[in-house]
Amino acid sequence: MSGDGDVRLWRGWLDRESADALLAEIRATAAFVQERRKMYDRFVDVPREHASQGDDREHPWTPLVLAVRRDLEALTGTRFSYVLFNRYRNGRDGVAWHNDSEVKYIRGPVIGSLTLGATRAFDLRPKADRKRILSVDVEHGDLVVMRGATQEHWEHRVVKDDRIAGERINLTFRQQPE
Ligand SMILES: O=C(O)CCC(=O)C(=O)O
């Protein structure tokens, strides 16, 4: 990517066995909820489900998520204080173009994003040229790390795709705002 963003992909950062075990732990323990958001004059279901774990969260770290946090901290040299889970039940779930705005309050922001389950397209585009879309298929065990000014200058999404039947759970490890 160009100088105003830093996004890296580690294919198979978790091997299949570890990714399967992590997915099983999350399915067994996470309390997923579907939010409703106001759109114009009505409330609509957000097309995905959420859960979280973390230092100061209602749900504490579970063992395998904690082990991933430790390895990701070693890889990135960053301390992560919570993780958000997005559950895309199938291809009718997705997330529209956005950037992760809470990083505004962090010096040297780093987001570690791990895919479990179904393969989905992860798209990026520069805010200065929204027609230029970079797309990568992220697979079970793949890790994407977004650093620095990426959120300031780029947006990302997981586009809906009716052909996809399987569930994907994405983990984004995040820092405590200062
Ligand atoms: O599921 C993904 O890969 C992206 C998640 C995302 O955009 C977010 O948590 O802000």
Side-chain angles (χ1 to χ4, degrees), residues 1 23-24 54 59 69 74 84 90 102 109 113 123 130 156:
M1 273 174 59
L23 184 55
H59 300 283
R69 175 176 82 153
L84 300 180
N90 51 48
E102 80 276 7
S113 174
D123 296 343
R130 291 193 153 94
H156 56 274

Side-chain angles (χ1 to χ4, degrees), residues 60-132:
W61 300 97
T62 50
L64 297 183
V65 178
L66 192 58
V68 166
R69 175 176 82 153
R70 186 198 58 219
D71 292 347
L72 195 54
E73 287 183 340
L75 178 76
T76 60
T78 304
R79 164 117 179 93
F80 296 105
S81 59
Y82 65 103
V83 58
L84 300 180
F85 303 111
N86 282 304
R87 176 171 179 246
Y88 306 91
R89 292 158 290 188
N90 51 48
R92 288 188 299 279
D93 280 349
V95 62
W97 288 116
H98 68 286
N99 62 274
D100 296 338
S101 52
E102 80 276 7
V103 303
K104 272 194 297 222
Y105 307 104
I106 296 169
R107 244 176 294 130
V110 181
I111 293 176
S113 174
L114 178 64
T115 288
L116 299 173
T119 300
R120 296 290 296 259
F122 179 71
D123 296 343
L124 289 149
R125 68 179 182 186
K127 292 181 187 173
D129 182 5
R130 291 193 153 94
K131 288 201 189 70
R132 186 157 73 90

Side-chain angles (χ1 to χ4, degrees), residues 9 58 74 77-78 104 107 116-117 134 141-142 147 152:
L9 169 69
E58 184 185 346
T78 304
K104 272 194 297 222
R107 244 176 294 130
L116 299 173
L134 310 181
D142 286 355
R147 283 180 182 270
E152 207 178 313

